[in-house]
Amino acid sequence: MDRAAAKPLAALALAAFGIGTTEFVIMGLLPDVAAYLAVTIPAAGLLVSG
């Protein structure tokens, strides 16, 4: 693979990693978020979709 194709591919991989990480991090913090907002966990789970 030449260098011209490697840069966009690296950017795409980094963006996909960032998006995937944010989804999994909020799921781990969901009980704390629900307690802070005084709502149920399923109601706070709508934040992940939003």
Side-chain angles (χ1 to χ4, degrees), residues 19-41:
I19 291 170
T21 302
T22 58
E23 295 296 322
F24 289 117
V25 167
I26 191 63
M27 289 191 323
L29 297 173
L30 203 54
D32 296 330
V33 172
Y36 179 77
L37 296 175
V39 297
T40 63
I41 291 177

Side-chain angles (χ1 to χ4, degrees), residues 1-19:
M1 180 183 316
D2 61 352
R3 289 184 183 243
K7 287 183 181 181
L9 186 60
L12 183 61
L14 184 63
F17 175 77
I19 291 170

